[in-house]
Amino acid sequence: MPSKQLILVVTAWDPQTLGRWEAIVRFLVAEKSQHSGHKPKGRKAMAGEVAPPQSDTLLPWRQHQSANGLRRQKRDWVIPPINVPENSRGPFPQQLVRIRSDKDKEIHIRYSITGVGADQPPMEVFSIDPVSGRMYVTRPMDREERASYHLRAHAVDMNGNKVENPIDLYIYVIDMNDNRPEFINQVYNGSVDEGSKPGTYVMTVTANDADDSTTANGMVRYRIVTQTPQSPSQNMFTINSETGDIVTVAAGLDREKVQQYIVIVQATDMEGNLNYGLSNTATAIITVTDVNDNPPEFTTSTYSGEVPENRVEVVVANLTVMDRDQPHSPNWNAIYRIISGDPSGHFTIRTDPVTNEGMVTVVKAVDYEMNRAFMLTVMVSNQAPLASGIQMSFQSTAGVTISVTDVNEAPYFPTNHKLIRLEEGVPTGTVLTTFSAVDPDRFMQQAVRYSKLSDPANWLNINATNGQITTAAVLDRESDYIKNNVYEATFLAADNGIPPASGTGTLQIYLIDINDNAPELLPKEAQICEKPNLNVINITAADADIDPNVGPFVFELPSVPSAVRKNWTITRLNGDYAQLSLRVMYLEAGVYDVPIIVTDSGNPPLYNTSVIKVKVCPCDENGDCTTIGAVAAAGLGTGAIIAILICIIILLTMVLLFVVWMKRREKERHTKQLLIDPEDDVRDNILKYDEEGGGEEDQDYDLSQLQQPETMDHVLNKTPGVRRVDERPIGAEPQYPIRPVIPHPGDIGDFINEGLRAADNDPTAPPYDSLLVFDYEGSGSTAGSVSSLNSSSSGDQDYDYLNDWGPRFKKLADMYGGGEED
């Protein structure tokens, strides 16, 4: 045997009572010894034979004596596993086994166990009596929590010395059926197509049992308990008892009748034994999915509608259908097609996404005069193809009758734009063409009237009844209204229907050019040197006409006046250009009008005499006119030019002298001295000094005092602190002598003396004798008062001379002089 241990499970099963029993048989394989004295340790065991122990005491350590008398330790026995049933009710601690060493007869031995369940978590599940070696389980076991334990038994003496080698102990928890099967989900959702055949897979349900799956405790079996609804059969589905696969077992699934089934599934352990096994249930919701097994059908066989002619995007009729498949799915969505009756493609059928109706819509205008009615044959189908074995219904086709109503249509011009060709310059009243319109309303008796809509140059007239177009003015190809030789006019044709309708047409007139414009000389002005062979004038011509009524041109000088050909000559370069140059050796500078005859190549040719203004001027060595020469060419001689320059110089000199004189006069005015000593000058002068502010206590200003008072009463009665009031006394002003217009030189002195006397006797002349009021500057100034500096009349000073100074000093003379009033 390959291993030292063989474990077998023997099962007994009664098929009648369904009873089941299990037993575990373990074979311990002993080593064969080559020595004659070798005996197996522990229990005797032969190959294929089980030796039951004599008691529950295990002697894992046995000592044997060899043949020569020496004691020798042999290999230890392998202890068979210890089986402990789970969920035991006790009492606890419950003895499992007793282990001991045969040395316990000689010395005192202490036993202990280590491992998970002893000294490792979970702690103290197992314990051992250190003296007797009895091993206990201390509490109920749970195989689902832990199925096996591996412990080691130790034997030591009282000093802790190892007496025997550690022995491995294996403890297996025997499973009990203490767990119900648990479904992964309480509700399972599945689907199956309607009309599915029996045996069609639907879904799988799964339940797990925490018990040992190798035993009946963990073997789960499935069955269907109920089915709702039980239509069309109470057993529409079956379930595989081992795998949990749900399949159909009967035919007749129809979504239009039953859309959903609710199936209760039961899972039972003990291989489905309802007497001994534990059960649990779950719900399986089976949805019957739609297939396109119902073709769409029209609710009626014929439909009708009406549409006015010349209208598009108009819904003519609504086609209603019925489909029993699932709404708003490809099996329900309708697609409409026109099978016959519309070869020109005037109509299309669009599907309303909400109602699934077909909307017959006009996409190409219909004409009442061409078709008064349409008979359409339409067919309806679904987006999804029909299911296998389902045929289209006869009601999937219908007829649609569409009537066309006549409306008043606008007249139209058959040839629009109409182009005619004629020569320009045709006389007024010439008939050009007949621009007539056609009224498409053949079944209406209507008259068409014509009028102008656009005629930029107002060159045309149109007959209101027949559309005949005549000229109202001469047509000119060279007009600004002509674009690329074409003149465009727009006309209106209107009928007298209800309501009236109108159409427009454009007439294009291509004007053929005739030679009706003479050429014009270019340029109109030029300049040339007064001596020949230095430069020439290139000339050409412009003609409003077009080929062949333009160049080549002929340039020539007229014979009259004779001075033209005498002084000038023309040399032809090509058909469009020529050169004008001097014939004489010298021509005086100036402006000359040179007439030139220009003739075009039309039939008949036209000519024109154009005048070119030529400026003849002196030139420098480069052939360019000099400045003086340019002026001379303007028509002035050398003398006139010199005179103009002299006048300009004189004018500038006068302006300069005037400026110098004004500056000198201003300087003299500022530097002029007084005729008398300034100390003796008694004239009144206003001297402005820098403002230094008021006194120390004059810091608050009364702005109201700055206003000019209207009367003097409030000033005289006002306290100090107002500004100076200086009013001109009111009195009769003296009459000054009238100065003669042209005074005689001898009368100047008399005139001055009379004016002086009048001024001295004028009381209104400044300075006025008036009350002078000054700003109040406060009291108690640190500078002190100046009132002590008042004048006194006492002294040796004689002020009588003030009486001789005139009326202006009369006041001072009265105050300080002896005067008559003394």
Side-chain angles (χ1 to χ4, degrees), residues 413 418 429-437 448-455 458-473 489-494 503-507 509:
F413 293 88
K418 184 176 183 179
T430 301
V431 177
L432 301 183
T433 185
T434 299
F435 197 28
S436 59
V448 179
R449 307 277 302 176
Y450 301 92
S451 60
K452 287 194 304 181
L453 188 62
S454 173
D455 184 11
N458 202 21
W459 285 347
L460 304 175
N461 289 327
I462 187 168
N463 190 294
T465 57
N466 58 16
Q468 188 180 68
I469 296 176
T470 58
T471 59
T490 305
F491 298 93
L492 184 71
T504 60
T506 301
L507 178 66
I509 304 174

Side-chain angles (χ1 to χ4, degrees), residues 214-287:
T214 62
T215 66
N217 298 334
M219 295 181 180
V220 180
R221 297 296 181 262
Y222 304 92
R223 74 185 187 94
I224 294 178
V225 179
T226 60
Q227 168 196 307
T228 305
Q230 297 180 357
S231 173
S233 171
Q234 62 180 357
N235 295 319
M236 295 296 297
F237 305 95
T238 186
I239 188 170
N240 188 305
S241 62
E242 295 184 1
T243 63
D245 293 341
I246 299 177
V247 297
T248 59
V249 71
L253 290 173
D254 190 353
R255 190 204 65 85
E256 286 72 37
K257 295 180 180 179
V258 178
Q259 298 183 3
Q260 190 178 80
Y261 290 90
I262 298 177
V263 177
I264 304 300
V265 180
Q266 184 183 55
T268 306
D269 57 14
M270 297 300 293
E271 295 183 305
N273 190 325
L274 298 178
N275 295 326
Y276 302 102
L278 301 177
S279 300
N280 212 337
T281 60
T283 302
I285 300 176
I286 302 175
T287 302

Side-chain angles (χ1 to χ4, degrees), residues 298-304 320 376-378 394-395 397-401:
F298 286 103
T299 57
T300 181
S301 59
T302 59
Y303 298 88
S304 61
T320 56
L376 306 180
T377 301
V378 298
F394 290 106
Q395 295 179 350
T397 58
V400 182
T401 302

Side-chain angles (χ1 to χ4, degrees), residues 19 49 78 102 124 295 352 453 465 481 583 612 616 630 695 712 776:
E49 194 175 311
V78 177
D102 55 2
E124 297 180 354
D352 189 323
L453 188 62
T465 57
Y481 299 103
R583 179 186 294 272
I612 179 174
V616 180
M712 293 300 296
Y776 176 69

Side-chain angles (χ1 to χ4, degrees), residues 709-719 725 727 771 773:
E710 295 180 357
T711 62
M712 293 300 296
D713 296 337
H714 68 284
V715 175
L716 297 176
N717 298 327
K718 193 173 184 180
T719 59
V725 178
E727 292 185 346
L771 179 63
V773 182

Side-chain angles (χ1 to χ4, degrees), residues 63 71 101-109 163-164:
Q63 300 291 333
R71 299 188 62 150
S101 173
D102 55 2
K103 295 182 180 180
D104 58 356
K105 297 178 180 180
E106 302 173 0
I107 59 175
H108 293 285
I109 297 178
V163 176
E164 302 286 356

